Amino acid sequence: MTNRKPEDHVKLFLPGPTEVREEILDAQGRWMIGHRMPEAIQLFGRIQPKLRKVFRTEYRVYITASSGTGMWEAASRNCVAKKVLHCTNGSFGDRWIDVARSNGKEVEVLEVEWGKPVLPEMVVERLGAGGFDAVAFVQNETSVGVANPARDIAAAVRAMPDGQDITIMVDSVSGMSGMEMEPDLWGIDIVLTSSQKAFALPPGLAFASVSDRALEKAKTVPYRGYYFDYVELEKYLVKDQTPATPAISLLYALDTQLDTMLAEGMEHRWKRHLVMRDLVVNWAVSRGFKLFSEDLQYASPTVTTIENTHNLSIKDLNGFLRTRGMIISNGYGKLKDKCFRIGHMGDWQVADIEELLNNMDEYLQTIGIAVGETA
Ligand SMILES: *Cc1c(COP(=O)(O)O)cnc(C)c1O
């Protein structure tokens, strides 16, 4: 039995929540189980190795019943003892700073102009002043569509004289599984994400890979809090459990989705996102729009932020798209009307993006903007 009516379906080309396939929606509908029952322990035990493959880590991936914001708090609480350098080039980087400060952490901020990337040399210069035991940045800044070079930043930090003592914490909420991320190879201690972005699951779960080094450090940090305490999460993880009741229905969905991801293969999944990104970028430029990300090299693989150079009513555009059963996103925060964003992440395929862009072209034509060749 389903209560999903086809006429209620709106295809989400948003940078989260993203489209969830029917197979995944169905997977949530299995019979409920108790979280200390063998069935739940088997489920968790099945998930863990698959999740590590998706995260490309030999360590561990904690799962919490929260959104990604909870894992921000976890990273700040567990792994900042002295002072953390927060690098930001957008709204989400800014919000993580608020989280760290509201947890009483001493924060210094490296602020980069929106549209530009955080670069390794900037990070090294600030860390060079000394006194830091952690650095935090966003791999894929969803508000501006800029991907920061996580690999290079991590390499530069590790190459510093005291670089091995710094906990590197990365928000890959809108990146993980949609773009290259190699925590172990790149020397990143913590990578955190949410279920409703490139994972293409319903909202409600958050994940964080945590290195041994970060876990050992956490054991020495006082006041880690309760719900997001890595040490407590670890105690249960080794028994294939969680300290508190997990979101069991979402774990069913995750179990199924991990199979799909691994069947595609991570390299293929990353590549598919780049192909979708290039399609959107070329469409935007050929229609006379400008990208908000100034340098194409740093254009996000999962979300494209497009400057509203034609002064479109984004509300009307979305109104039109709704008649075609789909929706895109306006700009984030202060960029609300200045930009619009197309989410091309998760399980969308190239053909879906083409369908969206053809509809966008139709809208542009109705308001008298020449589109030339269709996408
Ligand atoms: C969406 C998002 C968040 C917030 O995640 P929630 O799951 O909504 O708490 C944090 N960082 C980035 C980069 C995001 O895109």
Side-chain angles (χ1 to χ4, degrees):
M1 209 182 84
T2 176
N3 50 11
R4 288 197 299 276
K5 302 192 195 88
E7 65 270 26
D8 291 342
H9 183 201
V10 183
K11 294 181 174 179
L12 307 179
F13 294 94
L14 306 175
T18 53
E19 184 77 3
V20 180
R21 291 178 298 117
E22 292 211 88
E23 185 195 359
I24 301 301
L25 295 172
D26 287 340
Q28 295 178 92
R30 294 191 203 140
W31 294 109
M32 194 42 54
I33 51 177
H35 65 297
R36 305 297 180 215
M37 281 166 62
E39 289 84 349
I41 291 166
Q42 282 157 19
L43 172 66
F44 200 90
R46 245 192 344 266
I47 285 172
Q48 197 46 226
K50 292 190 282 191
L51 199 50
R52 284 202 302 265
K53 280 192 187 136
V54 167
F55 267 76
R56 313 280 276 202
T57 183
E58 295 287 317
Y59 298 112
R60 61 195 61 70
V61 184
Y62 297 131
I63 305 174
T64 53
S66 72
S67 78
T69 300
M71 283 301 194
W72 270 342
E73 189 148 293
S76 304
R77 288 294 283 246
N78 282 277
C79 283
V80 179
K82 288 186 268 174
K83 186 164 67 163
V84 54
L85 177 67
H86 268 272
C87 314
T88 178
N89 57 341
S91 291
F92 290 102
D94 287 353
R95 258 160 73 183
W96 194 359
I97 294 168
D98 292 343
V99 170
R101 287 200 169 124
S102 66
N103 278 288
K105 299 299 176 179
E106 193 181 339
V107 177
E108 274 197 31
V109 176
L110 163 60
E111 198 158 0
V112 175
E113 197 187 321
W114 289 24
K116 294 196 161 97
V118 174
L119 294 174
E121 53 272 25
M122 305 172 184
V123 179
V124 166
E125 194 203 326
R126 289 296 297 275
L127 287 177
F132 296 97
D133 68 321
V135 60
F137 62 91
V138 176
Q139 184 187 22
N140 189 68
E141 185 40 90
T142 319
S143 58
V144 292
V146 174
N148 293 316
R151 179 209 319 243
D152 299 342
I153 295 172
V157 172
R158 291 298 180 220
M160 295 178 70
D162 63 345
Q164 298 303 321
D165 304 330
I166 291 181
T167 307
I168 303 181
M169 323 196 292
V170 179
D171 166 330
S172 187
V173 174
S174 62
M176 179 50 75
S177 96
M179 65 193 288
E180 200 180 358
M181 169 47 80
E182 298 276 7
D184 299 2
L185 284 179
W186 300 352
I188 297 175
D189 291 298
I190 300 170
V191 181
L192 60 99
T193 195
S194 314
S195 53
Q196 80 281 10
K197 305 269 170 102
F199 264 62
L201 288 166
L205 292 180
F207 314 108
S209 67
V210 175
S211 70
D212 282 349
R213 178 166 50 189
L215 178 61
E216 286 312 307
K217 178 179 177 181
K219 290 176 184 166
T220 69
V221 177
Y223 301 113
R224 295 184 301 273
Y226 192 89
Y227 193 63
F228 296 107
D229 179 2
Y230 288 167
V231 179
E232 203 60 20
L233 285 165
E234 179 70 16
K235 255 191 234 162
Y236 282 83
L237 182 120
V238 298
K239 300 185 288 183
D240 289 330
Q241 296 186 49
T242 49
T245 317
I248 291 167
S249 306
L250 288 170
L251 293 182
Y252 287 141
L254 171 65
D255 187 32
T256 304
Q257 180 66 341
L258 289 170
D259 289 336
T260 310
M261 287 179 177
L262 293 172
E264 182 179 18
M266 297 320 292
E267 282 87 354
H268 280 110
R269 198 173 169 87
W270 298 337
K271 182 79 200 300
R272 173 166 56 79
H273 281 81
L274 290 177
V275 173
M276 295 193 292
R277 190 267 316 262
D278 290 347
L279 204 60
V280 172
V281 164
N282 291 334
W283 174 87
V285 172
S286 67
R287 272 37 172 189
F289 291 106
K290 245 187 92 201
L291 294 186
F292 192 76
S293 175
E294 288 179 12
D295 186 342
L296 202 58
Q297 192 190 337
Y298 301 106
S300 159
T302 61
V303 54
T304 298
T305 301
I306 299 167
E307 275 187 39
N308 188 6
T309 30
H310 291 303
N311 232 333
L312 307 177
S313 157
I314 294 159
K315 192 161 163 272
D316 291 352
L317 166 62
N318 255 333
F320 175 85
L321 290 174
R322 280 297 293 262
T323 69
R324 302 297 163 92
M326 47 187 66
I327 193 171
I328 62 164
S329 182
N330 49 17
Y332 191 94
K334 67 184 183 191
L335 300 175
K336 188 168 184 290
D337 297 309
K338 294 201 184 97
C339 291
F340 57 95
R341 291 176 300 162
I342 298 178
H344 33 82
M345 65 175 87
D347 293 336
W348 284 133
Q349 304 295 319
V350 171
D352 300 307
I353 303 299
E354 283 168 346
E355 188 196 359
L356 168 72
L357 296 177
N358 286 334
N359 282 314
M360 303 259 302
D361 270 346
E362 233 183 279
Y363 178 75
L364 292 183
Q365 276 165 331
T366 65
I367 60 165
I369 294 172
V371 297
E373 297 272 296
T374 47

